[in-house]
């Protein structure tokens, strides 16, 4: 069962989060963007609050932007990396969080390779939990920043076609994006080889819009308003689904030639980290007109500020 933001007090996924909740968070993220960018001084709305950033998987963008988001709202941040915790001595994630809760931590940002772990922990804690990516499941703040970036460039997403390409089966980014985008009324097209883009994904329950799984990237590009390229997650065994890296690049890589077949207004997204020369050629990743990849990163700080502010407004300080 999905716990929505307003009812649960946590942000565990975008599955089940309403359009109104998404719009309210993104409107606040837009208001917060000048502070999020560092152009204006930090706020003090979360003064005396402490956010624990608990990361059991490597991260650059998500971890740093949660830390910056908390600090730019005036909160203190505990930056906790998995390998430095007592988990290496056998402690469970729940025990780690309960100990931090006993020290007065106000909110938990959790990244883990275990799909569903943030949900289990959230059910047993009295403080807000934000899922910063759990295994192959969801990465809701990434989904929100993707929707924010696309709304900035395309306006209303209702009826727009957003194509997501590559290793979708292993991607929590794709799952959160497709829930967020369809809730906003978009048509999401998933493109990849069958093991990485299973046809069964068309049956995911969505609130609005639609999901289609197709195989031929060249056929969908001319009608795509945006293309989100994904990294092949070799660490999640995606490599076994690919016969050859060259063949994958030829069929699913975004080259300058393919970009020329997009409509003039279409934009290119990537959650990072990019494997340049595999899913995305450098000329495309750095295309100043179409690539919104660094805007996604910038929006990530604003979105995470809006989420922290919204969840912490609902609970008294003091752990
Ligand atoms: C991704 C992740 O870790 O889920 N990156 C991110 O958070 N921006 C995607 C990936 O690792 O390919």
């Amino acid at each position: 069962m999905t716990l929505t933001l307003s009812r649960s007090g946590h942000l565990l996924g975008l599955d089940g989060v309403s359009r109104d909740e998404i719009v309210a968070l993104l409107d606040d993220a837009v208001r917060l963007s000048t502070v999020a960018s560092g152009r204006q001084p930090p706020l003090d709305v979360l003064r005396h609050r402490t956010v624990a950033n608990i990361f059991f998987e490597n991260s650059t963008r998500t971890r740093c932007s949660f830390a910056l988001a908390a600090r730019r709202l005036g909160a203190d941040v505990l930056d906790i990396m998995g390998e430095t915790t007592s988990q290496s001595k056998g402690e469970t994630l729940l025990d780690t969080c309960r100990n931090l809760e006993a020290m007065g931590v106000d909110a938990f940002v959790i990244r883990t390779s275990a799909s569903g772990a943030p949900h289990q922990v959230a059910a047993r804690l009295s403080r807000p939990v934000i899922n910063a990516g759990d295994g192959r499941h969801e990465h809701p703040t990434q989904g929100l920043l993707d929707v924010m970036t696309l709304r900035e460039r395309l306006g209303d997403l209702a009826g727009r076609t957003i194509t997501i390409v590559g290793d979708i089966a292993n991607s929590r980014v794709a799952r959160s994006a497709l829930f967020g985008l369809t809730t906003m009324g978009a048509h999401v097209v998933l493109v990849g080889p069958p093991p990485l883009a299973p046809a069964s994904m068309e049956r995911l329950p969505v609130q609005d819009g639609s999901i289609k799984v197709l195989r031929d990237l060249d056929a969908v590009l001319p009608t795509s308003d945006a293309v989100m390229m994904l990294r092949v997650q070799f660490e999640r065994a995606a490599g076994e689904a690919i016969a050859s890296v060259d063949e994958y690049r030829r069929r699913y890589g975004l080259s300058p030639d393919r970009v020329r077949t997009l409509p003039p207004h279409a934009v290119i997204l990537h959650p990072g980290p990019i494997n340049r020369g595999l899913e995305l050629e450098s000329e495309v990743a750095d295309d100043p007109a179409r690539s919104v990849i660094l805007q996604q990163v910038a929006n990530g700080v604003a979105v995470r500020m809006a989420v922290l502010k919204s969840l912490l407004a609902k609970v008294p300080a003091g752990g």
Side-chain angles (χ1 to χ4, degrees):
M1 191 191 69
T2 304
L3 300 172
T4 67
L5 200 63
S6 51
R7 268 178 277 143
S8 73
H10 305 290
L11 179 60
L12 301 171
L14 290 189
D15 182 8
V17 176
S18 68
R19 183 180 194 283
D20 287 352
E21 284 182 298
I22 292 176
V23 169
L25 282 171
L26 297 187
D27 285 350
D28 202 32
V30 170
R31 283 190 289 274
L32 290 163
S33 357
T34 50
V35 178
S37 68
R39 290 197 300 279
Q40 271 184 17
L43 306 174
D44 63 1
V45 286
L46 295 187
R47 199 146 55 95
H48 306 312
R49 299 294 192 103
T50 305
V51 175
N53 232 351
I54 308 173
F55 277 66
F56 291 106
E57 276 191 344
N58 293 344
S59 169
T60 301
R61 281 151 291 274
T62 308
R63 190 170 61 81
C64 296
S65 66
F66 265 113
L68 288 171
R71 289 199 182 101
R72 289 174 181 166
L73 289 167
D76 289 326
V77 179
L78 281 178
D79 234 329
I80 300 162
M81 316 281 214
E83 63 276 16
T84 65
T85 69
S86 290
Q87 211 188 40
S88 64
K89 303 178 192 168
E91 185 170 76
T92 65
L93 174 62
L94 179 60
D95 279 336
T96 303
C97 293
R98 277 185 158 159
N99 280 269
L100 292 166
E101 200 172 44
M103 295 178 215
V105 161
D106 291 283
F108 297 89
V109 174
I110 299 174
R111 167 166 290 194
T112 166
S113 58
S115 303
H119 298 61
Q120 287 168 2
V121 170
R124 307 282 297 277
L125 294 175
S126 58
R127 317 300 302 176
V129 172
I130 301 169
N131 178 5
D134 62 326
R136 297 175 169 83
H137 180 231
E138 279 230 38
H139 190 353
T141 55
Q142 177 73 39
L144 289 171
L145 73 86
D146 292 335
V147 175
M148 179 175 175
T149 307
L150 285 168
R151 285 179 97 211
E152 266 172 7
R153 290 297 289 253
L154 303 175
D156 186 2
L157 299 184
R160 294 291 198 169
T161 298
I162 314 297
T163 299
I164 305 180
V165 186
D167 182 7
I168 293 145
N170 290 299
S171 176
R172 52 203 180 199
V173 171
R175 282 179 73 85
S176 289
L178 70 83
F179 284 124
L181 291 168
T182 50
T183 298
M184 301 305 290
H187 300 299
V188 176
V189 177
L190 307 176
V191 181
L196 298 184
S200 59
M201 293 194 85
E202 287 187 353
R203 295 195 295 277
L204 282 171
V206 292
Q207 299 178 49
D208 198 350
S210 66
I211 305 176
K212 236 191 176 63
V213 177
L214 298 172
R215 306 287 166 219
D216 183 356
L217 180 57
D218 293 311
V220 304
L221 290 178
T223 52
S224 297
D225 296 296
V227 186
M228 180 188 296
M229 301 304 297
L230 298 174
R231 182 176 68 89
V232 178
Q233 300 192 49
F234 289 101
E235 78 278 21
R236 298 194 212 282
E240 288 159 26
I242 293 174
S244 106
V245 167
D246 280 341
E247 167 76 359
Y248 181 87
R249 185 189 298 114
R250 200 178 56 72
R251 293 192 63 170
Y252 304 108
L254 197 57
S255 61
D257 279 347
R258 284 201 159 118
V259 168
R260 280 188 270 280
T261 69
L262 286 166
H265 66 272
V267 294
I268 295 157
L269 301 95
H270 193 302
I274 301 170
N275 283 159
R276 285 174 184 260
L278 179 49
E279 71 271 11
L280 207 53
E281 286 189 25
S282 273
E283 195 183 321
V284 178
D286 302 330
D287 179 340
R290 293 203 191 259
S291 169
V292 292
I293 295 170
L294 292 177
Q295 192 55 35
Q296 289 175 271
V297 177
N299 286 340
V301 181
V303 153
R304 288 166 181 131
M305 285 176 77
V307 169
L308 285 168
K309 192 173 150 231
S310 157
L311 292 177
L312 281 167
K314 297 188 179 100
V315 287

